[in-house]
Amino acid sequence: MILINNFRLRLVNHNTRFNTPLDDVTFYYDFTFVLSGELVYIFDDVPYTISAGSAIFLPPGSRRIRNPIIKNVDTLDYFSINFFTDETFDLPKIMYECVTPLVRASLEVIDLIYNSYSADIEKRISIELRQLLYSLQELNKHTVLPNTTKYDNPKIQAITNYIDTHLTEKLTLDRIAKHVSLTTSYCSTLMKRETGLSIFDYIIKGRMDLAKKYILENEKSLKEIAKICGYNDYGYFSRHFKRFIGCSPTKIDKK
């Protein structure tokens, strides 16, 4: 059995339809998975929408601000693990689309262990958490993360963050502009001026990067991947893929 070095559990918390606003500096590891709905965090003065299937992983000393959820709170379901350890982990602060069936199963096991009230809870959770962290590290090696460019303009950062975390959803200029409290015309003009891409080209590029990730994973058919990325017409999807990735979907090197 491989334990996490000097592991001490602070808490395991499964929250549904409940969101506590936060504004503090952690003195422990905060590991939070969004299972449904979404949470909004602010890191370095930039808001990030953490949607279902994604997670945050904050080491001790991290400043975290979590905004209250007012709308759609009935859909909210998230799972947090807080713990102490001397170890460090090679994981990004935000992990998108990381709640695979294997990860979800590990969370369910940790929840069951925590609520079993047995004498060896910490030891058993340490073993399961080690496996969970290993799974995420392996997943992260093969994941194409959303754009991580930092923009000086906080509005542009908010626009790109919102698009990056909602790529599989229907995105409209009106929806994006409302999220960042801009008019549609100014939102569009600002995006083009600051990034060199129109909002719609930015969305397409993000979806093609996501499609490439799925193709490399080799677990879905090309037509399934096209639909996930919002394309019912495979030919249209293929043309966009070639334009932004540089080759057709069938020519990707999966080695």
Side-chain angles (χ1 to χ4, degrees):
M1 295 183 294
I2 303 176
L3 303 177
I4 295 176
N5 187 40
N6 292 330
F7 177 81
R8 286 180 296 134
L9 183 67
R10 182 173 182 268
L11 64 83
V12 171
N13 205 355
H14 190 178
N15 295 284
T16 57
R17 304 178 187 176
F18 179 74
N19 170 232
T20 305
L22 298 171
D23 187 349
D24 61 10
V25 176
T26 64
F27 56 95
Y28 48 80
Y29 278 98
D30 175 11
F31 211 177
T32 297
F33 298 81
V34 180
L35 306 178
S36 67
E38 60 184 31
L39 294 172
V40 178
Y41 282 83
I42 297 175
F43 303 122
D44 302 322
D45 298 320
V46 176
Y48 293 84
T49 301
I50 314 300
S51 300
S54 301
I56 65 162
F57 186 66
L58 302 180
S62 300
R63 173 77 184 279
R64 59 178 185 173
I65 300 175
R66 187 166 73 204
N67 284 350
I69 299 295
I70 299 173
K71 296 181 180 179
N72 302 320
V73 71
D74 288 345
T75 67
L76 184 60
D77 183 8
Y78 65 102
F79 190 92
S80 297
I81 309 166
N82 296 163
F83 62 94
F84 303 90
T85 178
D86 295 338
E87 293 190 38
T88 58
F89 306 95
D90 184 21
L91 286 172
K93 183 181 295 183
I94 303 174
M95 290 171 281
Y96 297 100
E97 299 185 29
C98 67
V99 185
T100 63
L102 180 61
V103 168
R104 188 178 285 270
S106 290
L107 296 179
E108 290 172 356
V109 171
I110 289 171
D111 199 20
L112 286 171
I113 294 171
Y114 188 71
N115 289 290
S116 69
Y117 303 107
S118 62
D120 59 348
I121 283 177
E122 279 201 336
K123 180 179 178 181
R124 293 167 63 195
I125 286 181
S126 174
I127 295 169
E128 193 64 37
L129 185 58
R130 169 75 77 180
Q131 180 59 48
L132 175 61
L133 288 163
Y134 175 78
S135 297
L136 289 169
Q137 285 172 332
E138 288 300 301
L139 180 66
N140 190 52
K141 289 178 184 177
H142 306 288
T143 298
V144 178
L145 294 176
N147 176 55
T148 55
T149 303
K150 296 295 183 183
Y151 296 100
D152 293 333
N153 189 318
K155 286 293 185 183
I156 291 296
Q157 192 68 65
I159 291 168
T160 56
N161 288 342
Y162 186 74
I163 293 172
D164 292 341
T165 53
H166 293 80
L167 286 171
T168 60
E169 302 170 25
K170 184 178 180 180
L171 285 169
T172 64
L173 178 56
D174 185 60
R175 176 181 172 182
I176 295 165
K178 282 182 179 178
H179 178 75
V180 295
S181 302
L182 295 175
T183 65
T184 54
S185 60
Y186 185 65
C187 182
S188 182
T189 300
L190 187 65
M191 184 70 174
K192 181 70 174 179
R193 187 180 72 202
E194 296 281 338
T195 69
L197 291 173
S198 69
I199 281 181
F200 293 108
D201 274 351
Y202 187 90
I203 292 170
I204 294 168
K205 183 180 183 303
R207 286 175 173 167
M208 294 307 102
D209 287 339
L210 184 62
K212 181 180 177 181
K213 177 183 82 74
Y214 282 130
I215 292 170
L216 291 173
E217 288 174 353
N218 203 28
E219 295 178 356
K220 297 178 176 66
S221 71
L222 291 177
K223 287 188 176 180
E224 287 176 321
I225 293 169
K227 286 185 177 181
I228 290 171
C229 295
Y231 292 81
N232 291 320
D233 184 335
Y234 177 77
Y236 192 42
F237 163 77
S238 183
R239 288 193 294 274
H240 275 173
F241 191 92
K242 188 171 184 179
R243 175 188 168 196
F244 284 93
I245 304 301
C247 65
S248 69
T250 58
K251 299 297 183 181
I252 285 288
D253 185 356
K254 298 179 183 180
K255 294 180 182 180

Coordinates of all heavy atoms in Angstrom, one line a residue, residues 32-39 41 50-56 76-79 99 104 107:
T32 N -11.1 20.4 -5.5 CA -12.6 20.5 -5.6 C -13.0 20.1 -7.1 O -12.4 20.6 -8.0 CB -13.1 21.9 -5.3 OG1 -12.8 22.2 -4.0 CG2 -14.6 22.0 -5.6
F33 N -13.9 19.2 -7.2 CA -14.4 18.7 -8.5 C -15.8 19.1 -8.7 O -16.7 18.9 -7.8 CB -14.4 17.1 -8.5 CG -13.0 16.5 -8.4 CD1 -12.4 16.4 -7.1 CD2 -12.3 16.1 -9.5 CE1 -11.1 15.8 -7.0 CE2 -11.1 15.5 -9.4 CZ -10.5 15.4 -8.1
V34 N -16.1 19.7 -9.8 CA -17.5 20.1 -10.1 C -18.2 19.0 -10.9 O -17.7 18.6 -12.0 CB -17.5 21.4 -10.9 CG1 -19.0 21.8 -11.2 CG2 -16.8 22.5 -10.2
L35 N -19.2 18.4 -10.3 CA -19.9 17.2 -10.9 C -21.0 17.6 -11.8 O -21.3 17.0 -12.8 CB -20.3 16.3 -9.8 CG -19.2 15.8 -8.9 CD1 -19.8 14.9 -7.8 CD2 -18.1 15.1 -9.6
S36 N -21.7 18.7 -11.4 CA -22.7 19.3 -12.3 C -22.9 20.8 -11.9 O -22.5 21.2 -10.8 CB -24.1 18.6 -12.1 OG -24.6 18.7 -10.8
G37 N -23.5 21.5 -12.8 CA -23.5 23.0 -12.6 C -22.2 23.6 -12.8 O -21.4 23.1 -13.6
E38 N -21.9 24.7 -12.1 CA -20.6 25.4 -12.3 C -20.3 26.3 -11.0 O -21.2 26.7 -10.3 CB -20.6 26.3 -13.5 CG -21.6 27.4 -13.6 CD -21.6 28.1 -14.9 OE1 -21.3 27.6 -15.9 OE2 -22.0 29.3 -14.8
L39 N -19.0 26.5 -10.8 CA -18.6 27.4 -9.7 C -17.7 28.5 -10.4 O -17.1 28.2 -11.4 CB -17.7 26.6 -8.7 CG -18.4 25.6 -7.9 CD1 -17.4 24.8 -7.0 CD2 -19.4 26.2 -6.9
Y41 N -14.5 30.9 -9.7 CA -13.4 31.3 -8.9 C -12.7 32.5 -9.5 O -12.7 32.7 -10.7 CB -12.4 30.1 -8.8 CG -12.8 29.0 -7.8 CD1 -13.7 28.1 -8.2 CD2 -12.3 29.0 -6.5 CE1 -14.1 27.0 -7.4 CE2 -12.7 28.0 -5.7 CZ -13.6 27.0 -6.1 OH -13.9 26.0 -5.2
I50 N -15.7 27.3 -13.6 CA -15.3 25.9 -13.5 C -16.6 25.1 -13.7 O -17.4 25.0 -12.8 CB -14.7 25.6 -12.1 CG1 -13.6 26.6 -11.7 CG2 -14.1 24.2 -12.1 CD1 -12.5 26.7 -12.7
S51 N -16.8 24.5 -14.9 CA -18.0 23.8 -15.2 C -17.9 22.4 -14.9 O -16.9 21.8 -14.5 CB -18.2 24.0 -16.7 OG -18.3 25.4 -17.1
A52 N -19.1 21.7 -15.0 CA -19.2 20.3 -14.7 C -18.1 19.5 -15.5 O -17.9 19.7 -16.6 CB -20.6 19.8 -15.1
G53 N -17.5 18.6 -14.7 CA -16.4 17.7 -15.3 C -15.0 18.3 -15.1 O -14.1 17.7 -15.5
S54 N -14.9 19.5 -14.5 CA -13.6 20.1 -14.3 C -13.3 20.2 -12.8 O -14.2 19.9 -11.9 CB -13.6 21.5 -14.9 OG -13.9 21.4 -16.3
A55 N -12.1 20.6 -12.5 CA -11.7 20.6 -11.1 C -10.6 21.7 -10.8 O -10.0 22.2 -11.8 CB -11.1 19.3 -10.7
I56 N -10.5 22.1 -9.6 CA -9.4 23.0 -9.2 C -8.5 22.2 -8.2 O -9.0 21.4 -7.4 CB -9.8 24.3 -8.5 CG1 -10.6 24.1 -7.2 CG2 -10.7 25.1 -9.5 CD1 -10.7 25.3 -6.4
L76 N -26.3 22.5 -9.0 CA -24.9 22.4 -8.5 C -24.6 21.2 -7.7 O -25.4 20.8 -6.8 CB -24.7 23.7 -7.6 CG -23.3 23.9 -7.0 CD1 -22.3 24.0 -8.2 CD2 -23.2 25.1 -6.1
D77 N -23.5 20.6 -8.0 CA -23.1 19.4 -7.3 C -21.5 19.3 -7.4 O -21.0 19.3 -8.5 CB -23.7 18.1 -7.9 CG -23.3 16.8 -7.2 OD1 -22.7 16.9 -6.1 OD2 -23.6 15.7 -7.7
Y78 N -20.8 19.5 -6.2 CA -19.4 19.5 -6.3 C -18.8 18.7 -5.0 O -19.5 18.6 -4.0 CB -18.8 20.9 -6.4 CG -19.1 21.8 -5.2 CD1 -18.1 22.0 -4.3 CD2 -20.3 22.5 -5.1 CE1 -18.3 22.9 -3.2 CE2 -20.5 23.3 -4.0 CZ -19.5 23.6 -3.1 OH -19.7 24.4 -2.1
F79 N -17.6 18.3 -5.2 CA -17.0 17.4 -4.2 C -15.6 17.9 -3.8 O -14.8 18.2 -4.7 CB -16.8 16.0 -4.8 CG -16.5 14.9 -3.8 CD1 -17.4 14.2 -3.2 CD2 -15.1 14.7 -3.6 CE1 -17.0 13.2 -2.3 CE2 -14.7 13.7 -2.7 CZ -15.7 12.9 -2.0
V99 N -13.0 14.8 -15.0 CA -13.8 13.9 -14.2 C -14.3 12.7 -15.1 O -15.4 12.7 -15.6 CB -15.1 14.6 -13.6 CG1 -15.8 13.6 -12.7 CG2 -14.6 15.7 -12.7
R104 N -14.5 9.7 -11.2 CA -15.7 9.7 -10.5 C -15.9 8.5 -9.5 O -16.3 8.7 -8.4 CB -16.9 9.8 -11.5 CG -18.3 10.0 -10.8 CD -19.3 10.0 -11.9 NE -19.3 11.3 -12.6 CZ -20.0 12.4 -12.3 NH1 -20.7 12.4 -11.2 NH2 -19.9 13.5 -13.0
L107 N -13.8 9.2 -6.4 CA -14.5 10.2 -5.5 C -15.6 9.5 -4.8 O -15.8 9.8 -3.6 CB -15.1 11.3 -6.4 CG -14.1 12.2 -7.1 CD1 -14.8 13.3 -7.9 CD2 -13.1 12.8 -6.2

